[in-house]
Amino acid sequence: TRLERAFKNGLLFRATYTFSKAIDNTTSEVFATTTLTSTGSNPFDRSVDRSVADFDTPHVGTFTFVYDIPTPHTDSRIVRGLLGGYTLSGIYFIQSGSVATPTVAGFDLNHDLNAANDRPSVGNPNAPANTVAFANSLGAFSPCVTGFCDINGNAIDPNNAHFIVDPNNRTNIAGRNSLRGPMLNRLDMSFGRK
């Protein structure tokens, strides 16, 4: 969608908005990182990885303008020369944040001989997104009294963790690209003279 005003009375502007949705079932090699491969979480059932694509950007908006600042009406050529001929312009850009997949590197939870494509279970979705409970059975930390440790090795109740890493709990697995980062919001301005 585009709305624009041609240059008139010293002002030109254009506003645009785009809505889109990209869906796929694997991470492209272009977007794969060192901890996330393009191999799906279940090579025998690709449908479990169907989600928004790594490059999905549902909302993009822009607003651009150019404004010729009027020269002061005065008889003084010096004032007109000093204060005339200036332009103010700008571009405002806003778009949806990037997506990410919560992954667990170093543990082969789904026993597919790949320790880079496993995802944790979702525990308490109302808990902070950075809370993780690791099961004692993983041997990553000294055993915690609750049976689960947080990332610092402290005991944590799994009911207070957003994600649970437990090879015995493979239900409610976090979805591929189920996290979305903050929106990108940027304004660039320019002030100059012709």
Side-chain angles (χ1 to χ4, degrees), residues 98-102 129 162-163 175-181:
S98 300
V99 294
T101 301
H162 193 94
F163 296 110
R176 180 176 154 265
N177 291 340
S178 57
L179 303 176
R180 188 168 295 273

Side-chain angles (χ1 to χ4, degrees), residues 53-192:
D54 294 350
F55 51 86
D56 180 58
T57 310
H59 304 284
V60 178
T62 62
F63 178 76
T64 60
F65 71 93
V66 176
Y67 178 59
D68 281 341
I69 299 171
T71 301
H73 297 290
T74 179
D75 292 334
S76 171
R77 292 177 61 194
I78 295 173
V79 171
R80 283 195 316 267
L82 289 174
L83 300 179
Y86 287 96
T87 300
L88 178 67
S89 59
I91 300 172
Y92 177 68
F93 177 80
I94 188 167
Q95 82 174 31
S96 300
S98 300
V99 294
T101 301
T103 58
V104 180
F107 300 108
D108 185 16
L109 300 175
N110 62 1
H111 308 292
D112 68 347
L113 304 179
N114 184 347
N117 67 343
D118 299 291
R119 298 192 290 254
S121 299
V122 176
N124 180 352
N126 296 319
N130 63 351
T131 53
V132 182
F134 294 89
N136 284 345
S137 62
L138 293 170
F141 304 100
S142 298
C144 294
V145 294
T146 60
F148 291 87
C149 301
D150 67 9
I151 193 70
N152 298 314
N154 301 316
I156 186 172
D157 181 344
N159 293 321
N160 295 329
H162 193 94
F163 296 110
I164 299 173
V165 181
D166 183 357
N168 299 317
N169 177 6
R170 302 311 299 150
T171 59
N172 201 24
I173 304 299
R176 180 176 154 265
N177 291 340
S178 57
L179 303 176
R180 188 168 295 273
M183 294 187 83
L184 176 63
N185 190 358
R186 179 175 163 174
L187 173 65
D188 293 321
M189 299 281 289
S190 171
F191 179 74

Side-chain angles (χ1 to χ4, degrees), residues 24 26-34 36-40 46 54-55 114 176:
D24 62 12
T26 189
T27 299
S28 167
E29 287 293 335
V30 174
F31 295 100
T33 64
T34 56
L36 183 64
T37 67
S38 61
T39 307
R46 299 310 307 246
D54 294 350
F55 51 86
N114 184 347
R176 180 176 154 265

Side-chain angles (χ1 to χ4, degrees), residues 2 38 41 44 105 170:
R2 182 171 74 184
S38 61
S41 63
F44 303 106
R170 302 311 299 150

